[in-house]
Amino acid sequence: MTNWSDIDTNAKGWIKEAAEIIKGSFSKTLDIQTKSNRNDLVTEIDKKIEQFFIGKIRKNYPEHKIIGEEGFGDKPKTMDGIIWIIDPIDGTMNFVHMQRNFAISIGIYENGVGMIGLIYDVVRDELYHAIKNKGAYMNELQLGPLEEVNIAESIIGINASWVTENKRIDSAILAPLVKDVRGTRSYGCAALEFAYVAAGRLDAYISLRLSPWDFAAGKILIEELGGDVTDLRGKPLNLLEQCSIFVSKPGLHEEVLKKFLCNGDW
């Protein structure tokens, strides 16, 4: 039988070790490269941290599989078995330009079910963590459960790339939604935006396209607190593919889907 508490303890220890490596890079000149486009950045630290986690996992849990953003892990075709889904530095652009508002993100799944979610804000020393059916926490503070909120009183995180990536979605959804909510925010780090919904700092988060390593850990946190995580049509996420994302408190999720997302012609 899998000892999830031991896995959680090990993963937390590795995260703190990785954080020290990241903080040690702040005074150094980074080797910055691009991936899919000029704004999709990667540094040698992203790669080093992913390889650090892979080394620890391979040594301690050789039967587990790994999906990592930088491609050093496995490429499973199914979610069978235990799979670690890792983003060594989510928010690399923030890491490069600001040295803040980035996070280490790890989601651990068993046969497609989220068992452990870990999001660590390295600079603020805030570790958001959850084990399935054992509650969610920020450091030692227990979070939630998430309470309902209406659209007019909500603060929603929205990825501004919508403005340039899909004009139909922008006109059909973004403009009227922004008009109706109390306010919007954009932090440039999907993992932290999930964590902020979990902590009550945001009421929802919407993004046009995220990869599994962007949402795997956050999905576990939000669902542990009674929130909802779907794509923009209200359908379950595919943990092996890119997805649109709509994460929110209960009640608000249904309200936004009905009013803005499911009835549009986009």
Side-chain angles (χ1 to χ4, degrees), residues 50-173:
E50 183 165 308
Q51 290 170 326
F52 167 83
F53 282 119
I54 288 173
K56 295 291 188 180
I57 297 164
R58 297 282 193 230
K59 179 180 178 180
N60 290 272
Y61 308 107
E63 71 279 13
H64 294 186
K65 289 175 280 188
I66 305 164
I67 298 174
E69 178 176 12
E70 308 312 331
F72 296 111
D74 306 303
K75 293 180 172 58
K77 301 298 184 183
T78 72
M79 289 297 294
D80 294 345
I82 296 177
I83 301 180
W84 297 56
I85 304 179
I86 298 172
D87 196 334
I89 300 179
D90 187 37
T92 299
M93 188 179 293
N94 290 347
F95 167 63
V96 169
H97 287 274
M98 304 166 62
Q99 294 187 344
R100 66 191 68 243
N101 291 337
F102 64 89
I104 299 169
S105 179
I106 298 176
I108 307 175
Y109 286 75
E110 182 178 41
N111 298 323
V113 177
M115 302 304 297
I116 295 174
L118 302 161
I119 296 172
Y120 186 48
D121 184 332
V122 172
V123 174
R124 293 183 180 89
D125 190 28
E126 292 181 344
L127 177 60
Y128 302 84
H129 54 103
I131 300 177
K132 184 174 176 59
N133 298 326
K134 293 189 177 181
Y137 297 79
M138 192 276 284
N139 293 338
E140 302 305 316
L141 176 67
Q142 186 165 6
L143 301 173
L146 296 177
E147 298 180 356
E148 293 191 14
V149 62
N150 61 46
I151 290 176
E153 296 177 341
S154 64
I155 303 293
I156 297 183
I158 296 180
N159 188 324
S161 64
W162 279 26
V163 175
T164 57
E165 288 189 16
N166 193 313
K167 295 294 184 181
R168 294 182 68 194
I169 292 181
D170 179 32
S171 61
I173 299 174

